[in-house]
Amino acid sequence: MSLAVQIRQHGGPEELHLTDVPVGEPGPGEIRIRHHAVGLNFIDVYHRTGLYPLPMPATIGMEGAGIVEAVGPGVTHLSAGDRAAYASAPPGSYAEVRVLPAKCVCRLPDAIDFETGAAMMLKGLTAQYLLKKTLPAEGLQPGDHVLFHAAAGGVGLIACQWARALGLQLIGTAGSDDKCRLALANGAAHAINYRTEDFAARVKEITDGKGVKVVYDSVGKDTWEKSLECLRPFGLMATFGNASGPAPAFAPGMLGAKGSLYVTRQTLFTHIATREATQAMADDLFAVVQSGDVTIHIDQRYPLRDVQQAHRDLEARKTTGSTILTLE
Ligand code: NDP
């Protein structure tokens, strides 16, 4: 048995229940891991509310780090006793122990502690694909301007630092002046408080009217419209989340009128569909963290039993950087 956080129906934070669940042996291609720390992500909110529906009951959570306890048939890259970390589909990380597909799981370098591992996999792999794999053709070049919303959040603070290391001019938005300062301290070239300033006007000013090559928008409903105004001709709108609600439906003709724009909606889980792709992206992430170019900021820690409060704070925009759930 394992202590886990389950939902029995979609709803508010009060639907998160600490409960004992059975844990079986890993089947073919699976491992069993005992978590030392679990990562909190905004997708956990979508799973809880039902924006992304799950079959019930469900243990939510997509990120964790710990020790591999057992490996199933056919698993060759991990052994019992290994230190490991992962971003996973399906959910199930809000638990002391779980079984999951081994292809999601990577050995954690000795220099990276468990809490950092749990705080960086889903968010860091997301920053990796957004900055390095989302833009086709020639990709991003040093000096390019990009706009990154929620820049002081979990994915955001990693993206700010990684963008600086790549020589990009990242314009970050955030919901308070303190959060803007945090984004600037972590590599954003400019920061805009989008609750008090017109971010599209400021982006035009910063880029001498040209606009940015890519907008990374995980806020959705509240930023979609103005984000499109921030793009240069042939620019890319990379919408990847719904923190304020889903972005609206649109008529494709609008993209032509606004300057032959591109729109993409990607998800990490397409990028990490295979073990090889996951490992390659994780190696890149481990390297940038070990080089010191990216520091994983764990700004909040909650014991697993306080998971309801963790969700309340995340939704109330009270958190910055990464948040982890700790296990006694
Ligand atoms: P964050 O730590 O970034 O938290 C979300 C942030 O969104 C808040 O702190 C807040 O920052 C901002 N926000 C803006 N409007 C709202 C609102 N109405 N309600 C709540 N928050 C709001 O979360 P994560 O780092 O876990 O994830 C960031 C985003 O990236 C999420 O939307 C998530 O779903 C998405 N994501 C997508 C992935 C993909 O592959 N498609 C993978 C991983 C994450 P502020 O106060 O500064 O505005």
Side-chain angles (χ1 to χ4, degrees):
M1 299 293 278
S2 165
L3 199 59
V5 174
Q6 272 202 337
I7 51 171
R8 294 167 200 142
Q9 58 182 14
H10 293 299
E14 69 283 355
E15 297 298 341
L16 298 163
H17 301 286
L18 209 55
T19 183
D20 279 319
V21 297
V23 185
E25 290 302 314
E30 292 181 334
I31 65 142
R32 192 174 69 231
I33 188 167
R34 180 167 291 274
H35 293 130
H36 282 230
V38 167
L40 184 78
N41 290 283
F42 216 89
I43 192 172
D44 307 343
V45 173
Y46 309 146
H47 282 145
R48 196 204 70 221
T49 61
L51 180 65
Y52 299 169
L54 293 175
M56 295 293 142
T59 300
I60 63 168
M62 313 281 284
E63 190 179 35
I67 300 276
V68 176
E69 278 193 343
V71 304
V75 176
T76 53
H77 71 288
L78 292 165
S79 311
D82 281 349
R83 303 170 75 255
Y86 67 86
S88 79
S93 71
Y94 286 11
E96 288 171 329
V97 183
R98 75 174 293 195
V99 170
L100 79 162
K103 69 176 186 181
C104 318
V105 185
C106 298
R107 289 176 70 162
L108 190 62
D110 289 344
I112 301 179
D113 62 64
F114 287 121
E115 291 199 345
T116 303
M120 69 185 251
M121 291 298 283
L122 198 148
K123 301 161 194 75
L125 294 176
T126 300
Q128 201 273 356
Y129 89 72
L130 288 173
L131 294 174
K132 295 195 168 182
K133 299 174 76 181
T134 300
L135 191 67
E138 86 277 22
L140 288 166
Q141 305 299 326
D144 280 343
H145 281 101
V146 299
L147 176 64
F148 205 107
H149 289 307
V155 178
L157 274 193
I158 297 174
C160 285
Q161 298 173 76
W162 210 331
R164 173 174 59 190
L166 294 170
L168 302 174
Q169 295 287 304
L170 183 146
I171 305 169
T173 60
S176 73
D177 291 345
D178 281 346
K179 287 185 181 184
C180 285
R181 279 189 279 278
L182 190 61
L184 287 170
N186 281 280
H190 306 271
I192 305 169
N193 180 341
Y194 53 7
R195 285 173 128 173
T196 58
E197 294 180 83
D198 177 342
F199 72 81
R202 285 273 285 119
V203 165
K204 283 281 156 65
E205 209 175 277
I206 291 165
T207 59
D208 296 327
K210 293 192 187 79
V212 297
K213 199 167 184 178
V214 187
V215 175
Y216 296 104
D217 190 342
S218 65
V219 173
K221 182 170 72 65
D222 289 355
T223 45
W224 167 262
E225 201 69 45
K226 279 204 167 173
S227 290
L228 292 167
E229 291 172 30
C230 297
L231 286 163
R232 71 177 205 184
F234 304 107
L236 173 68
M237 172 71 166
T239 166
F240 70 103
N242 332 271
S244 68
F250 66 92
M254 169 273 284
L255 299 174
K258 288 187 185 295
S260 304
L261 304 179
Y262 295 88
V263 175
T264 186
R265 174 60 162 96
Q266 301 197 2
T267 160
L268 173 64
F269 301 102
T270 320
H271 285 278
I272 59 171
T274 66
R275 146 117 191 91
E276 293 70 27
T278 307
Q279 191 65 54
M281 290 170 67
D283 286 345
D284 197 20
L285 174 63
F286 294 147
V288 81
V289 168
Q290 289 180 277
S291 74
D293 281 344
V294 170
T295 298
I296 305 300
H297 294 274
I298 303 175
D299 290 346
Q300 300 75 215
R301 288 178 172 79
Y302 302 84
L304 190 64
R305 65 172 177 281
D306 291 341
V307 63
Q308 293 188 358
Q309 192 57 44
H311 272 232
R312 281 191 197 99
D313 291 349
L314 183 62
E315 284 181 278
R317 305 166 77 161
K318 288 184 179 164
T319 65
T320 55
S322 295
T323 301
I324 58 162
L325 303 172
T326 58
L327 299 149
E328 276 93 334

